[in-house]
Amino acid sequence: SLSLSRSFTAVVKAVKAAAPNCKQLLLLPFNLGHKEIATVVSDLADPSIVFGNTTGFYDGKNGLHPFGYNHVAMIAPKVAELALPLLVGAAA
């Protein structure tokens, strides 16, 4: 919804203001809800704010939320692949 997008945009901008030199990876929830996150990232047009498409990361067969080492082992490498480009060359 438009109101949710505005609220989410406000949160993302507040994080940017609090940590202007940091990068943000905004993940699509594993249940593929809140697709407006991609629109918020696109509308902000800030290279330090990146959309992470998690389509296919978790099938939801064992419940809405991933849990346990099986899911971590399945999901973590995929999330790491999204995050790694944001970390390369980052100042320590």
Side-chain angles (χ1 to χ4, degrees):
S1 80
L2 184 57
S3 149
L4 183 59
S5 290
R6 285 184 185 153
S7 297
F8 191 69
T9 299
V11 169
V12 173
K13 286 181 174 181
V15 170
K16 177 75 174 181
N21 297 321
C22 291
K23 297 177 183 175
Q24 296 181 58
L25 174 60
L26 308 178
L27 298 177
L28 178 68
F30 298 125
N31 68 357
L32 307 181
H34 298 293
K35 293 184 187 268
E36 69 272 5
I37 293 171
T39 303
V40 167
V41 171
S42 177
D43 289 350
L44 289 170
D46 183 328
S48 69
I49 301 171
V50 178
F51 176 69
N53 188 348
T54 62
T55 301
F57 283 24
Y58 176 67
D59 60 21
K61 290 180 182 174
N62 295 314
L64 178 62
H65 298 285
F67 64 92
Y69 66 88
N70 290 10
H71 296 145
V72 170
M74 177 178 60
I75 295 169
K78 295 173 183 176
V79 172
E81 193 173 312
L82 293 174
L84 186 60
L86 301 177
L87 301 174
V88 173

